Amino acid sequence: MSRSAAPLAFAVTTAAAVAAVVVAAAVLPERVPTHFGATGEADDWSSRAGAVTFLALLTTGVAGMFAAFARGAARMSMEWVNVPHKQRWIEAGLEAELRRRLRVDLLLFGAGTNVLVLATTLATVQAARSGKDALPWWWFVVFALWLVATTAQAVFVHRVRYRLEPVVR
C-alpha cells in the first residue's frame, strides 16, 4: 500500500465515524437501545445524551488509540515491537522500513475498526428510530466482514508482510 493510502483511509473512516455521531445526536429519540444480545435484540436502553456520549467516546477512543499507536511506531522502543524476524530487520539496517510498515498496518487496522464503529453507530440509530429495538441484519454482515478482513490482515501481516529473506553471507 502506498505511503499516503493508509493515512487517507484512516482519516476518511475517522471523519465518517465522527459524522455519524453528529447525525445520531440530531436524530436519536430520547430512549435509545444501547446493548444488544447475540440475536440482535435490545436488552438495555439509555437516554439520548447517554447514548451519544458513549458513541462519541467509543469513536474518539478507537480512532485516538490507533492514531497514537501509529504515531508512536516511529519512536517506540523496538523492545515493545513483536513482528517475525525483528532482529534480522534491525541487523539488516531496515529498522526505518520496519517502522514504516508498522505505521501503515496500524492505520489499516484502525480504518477497518473505524468502519465497524461507524456501522455500530448507524445500526444503533436505525434500531432506535425503527421502533423494533433490534440491530438491523446488515450490521451482522458488516461485523462478519470485519472479522474476516481483520483475521486475513493479521495472517498476511504475520506470514507475509514481515517476512525477510535470509541474509546470504
Side-chain angles (χ1 to χ4, degrees):
M1 173 159 285
S2 75
R3 291 179 188 222
S4 62
L8 179 61
F10 182 75
V12 167
T13 58
T14 298
V18 168
V21 173
V22 171
V23 168
V27 302
L28 280 173
E30 187 49 43
R31 183 175 180 261
V32 181
T34 53
H35 189 270
F36 303 90
T39 64
E41 297 296 319
D43 56 15
D44 198 13
W45 290 261
S46 179
S47 66
R48 174 181 35 235
V52 170
T53 299
F54 173 76
L55 292 169
L57 290 172
L58 176 66
T59 301
T60 58
V62 166
M65 178 188 69
F66 279 104
F69 287 158
R71 182 176 172 92
R75 60 186 179 284
M76 70 168 38
S77 168
M78 291 307 286
E79 177 182 331
W80 296 99
V81 174
N82 184 13
V83 296
H85 318 295
K86 173 178 68 175
Q87 197 57 41
R88 287 191 11 221
W89 279 84
I90 294 169
E91 290 171 0
L94 297 171
E95 185 175 331
E97 175 61 15
L98 175 61
R99 289 177 182 278
R100 186 196 69 77
R101 288 184 186 196
L102 283 170
R103 179 177 182 271
V104 166
D105 293 336
L106 285 163
L107 291 173
L108 289 176
F109 277 113
T113 305
N114 281 341
V115 170
L116 180 63
V117 170
L118 165 65
T120 299
T121 299
L122 296 176
T124 300
V125 169
Q126 184 174 341
R129 290 179 52 88
S130 71
K132 296 179 183 175
D133 288 344
L135 289 171
W137 64 268
W138 58 261
W139 184 87
F140 293 96
V141 172
V142 171
F143 182 67
L145 290 172
W146 175 81
L147 282 174
V148 169
T150 300
T151 301
Q153 185 181 3
V155 169
F156 171 75
V157 162
H158 181 73
R159 300 248 178 180
V160 177
R161 181 128 163 95
Y162 294 96
R163 182 175 52 211
L164 191 61
E165 299 306 319
V167 177
V168 178
R169 295 187 187 232

